[in-house]
């Protein structure tokens, strides 16, 4: 039987969104899990498509009403996986691809230990910094925060994370092929 749940984690800027957007449309039985977040939308991001954008009060209420599979504060904003979305997708027989930070993944595993973990890494921290700058979406302060967090996230994932697959996103096509192979299995 094919696996139903896949979790991608990566330091910000490693190319997770680019890879996911390239590959997921090739799998009609697969959906991308839409997280709730208190982060402000980036240009082009649509509520209910990229994220469910929430105020801090709305997010706190979701926590209090036990509506999230897991949640975490990442780079100063809250992010969480709504239970209702996951349940509905599984009921419809869909396979689901999640994007979770490395700490949130540990909590996710407590609920769904069968989930397949995919860690996406940049070829180096220098390359990661260039990618964060070239994306042009974050202020200097946010880039510095994300780079500092990247070091901690990579160390944590390597020591404590449950990742069956590691993809080094150097050449985009090669990395996309690796992701295709994992999702096909
Ligand atoms: P993430 O979702 O992990 O934060 P993005 O997918 O937004 O990262 O990628 C960060 C930036 O790096 C984007 O500008 C993207 O176009 C670029 N990028 C992604 N993968 C590669 C790659 N293999 N080679 C060069 N640039 C890349
Ligand atoms: P971004 O702001 O770049 O979209 O995402 C920042 C970080 O939040 C990424 O590391 C991403 O994996 C993480 N993230 C996105 N959604 C969730 C979620 O639902 N739960 C957790 N724990 N992390 C998430």
């Amino acid at each position: 039987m094919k696996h139903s749940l896949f979790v991608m984690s990566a330091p910000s800027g490693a190319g997770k969104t680019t890879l996911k957007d390239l590959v997921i449309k090739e799998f009609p039985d697969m959906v991308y899990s839409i997280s709730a977040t208190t982060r402000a939308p980036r240009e082009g991001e649509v509520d209910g498509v990229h994220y469910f954008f929430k105020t801090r009060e709305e997010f706190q209420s979701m926590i209090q009403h036990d509506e999230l599979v897991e949640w975490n504060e990442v780079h100063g904003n809250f992010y969480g996986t709504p239970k209702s979305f996951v349940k509905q997708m599984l009921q419809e027989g869909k396979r689901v691809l999640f994007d979770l930070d490395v700490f949130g993944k540990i909590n996710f595993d407590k609920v769904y230990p069968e989930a397949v973990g995919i860690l996406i890494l940049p070829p180096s921290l220098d390359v990661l910094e260039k990618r964060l700058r070239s994306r042009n979406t974050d202020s200097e302060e946010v880039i510095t925060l994300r780079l500092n967090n990247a070091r901690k996230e990579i160390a944590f994932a390597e020591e404590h994370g449950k990742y069956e697959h590691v993809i080094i996103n150097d050449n985009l096509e090669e990395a996309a092929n690796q992701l295709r192979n994992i999702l096909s299995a």
Side-chain angles (χ1 to χ4, degrees):
M1 205 188 89
K2 278 188 167 179
H3 293 289
S4 296
L5 302 173
F6 295 85
V7 179
M8 291 191 298
S9 300
S12 182
K16 194 167 17 107
T17 310
T18 308
L19 281 168
K20 179 265 294 176
D21 286 347
L22 257 178
V23 169
I24 196 165
K25 54 183 180 281
E26 298 165 18
F27 295 87
D29 63 335
M30 191 147 219
V31 291
Y32 179 65
S33 168
I34 306 170
S35 299
T37 184
T38 59
R39 168 167 80 59
R42 296 186 183 128
E43 209 181 311
E45 283 184 335
V46 178
D47 186 42
V49 175
H50 298 91
Y51 280 105
F52 297 112
F53 293 102
K54 303 283 177 194
T55 61
R56 288 203 162 228
E57 291 71 28
E58 287 168 338
F59 200 94
Q60 289 297 346
S61 160
M62 292 181 85
I63 296 172
Q64 272 157 20
H65 292 94
D66 197 24
E67 291 173 19
L68 300 170
V69 179
E70 61 72 43
W71 62 273
N72 194 20
E73 189 175 358
V74 190
H75 316 308
N77 289 299
F78 290 103
Y79 295 81
T81 308
K83 283 184 180 172
S84 55
F85 183 84
V86 183
K87 279 196 184 141
Q88 192 190 328
M89 290 303 126
L90 290 176
Q91 262 168 17
E92 288 178 20
K94 300 279 188 199
R95 303 194 299 145
V96 192
L97 179 61
F98 298 83
D99 169 354
L100 305 181
D101 86 294
V102 295
F103 306 106
K105 166 72 164 64
I106 298 273
N107 291 328
F108 186 89
D109 285 344
K110 292 176 191 157
V111 185
Y112 295 112
E114 72 277 24
V116 177
I118 308 165
L119 182 65
I120 296 168
L121 296 176
S124 68
L125 285 171
D126 281 351
V127 170
L128 185 68
E129 183 169 356
K130 287 197 185 95
R131 286 189 190 161
L132 281 173
R133 287 187 198 290
S134 72
R135 190 166 68 181
N136 240 341
T137 53
D138 302 301
S139 66
E140 197 54 39
E141 197 186 346
V142 169
I143 289 175
T144 305
L145 176 69
R146 288 184 179 232
L147 279 173
N148 284 336
N149 287 345
R151 290 188 187 87
K152 294 180 204 153
E153 287 161 6
I154 294 170
F156 183 86
E158 287 177 348
E159 197 170 336
H160 305 288
K162 182 181 87 66
Y163 293 98
E164 284 78 8
H165 305 278
V166 179
I167 298 177
I168 310 286
N169 179 22
D170 188 357
N171 176 290
L172 186 60
E173 254 323 298
E174 278 175 26
N177 270 335
Q178 280 177 270
L179 184 58
R180 279 186 191 101
N181 287 338
I182 295 165
L183 300 183
S184 303

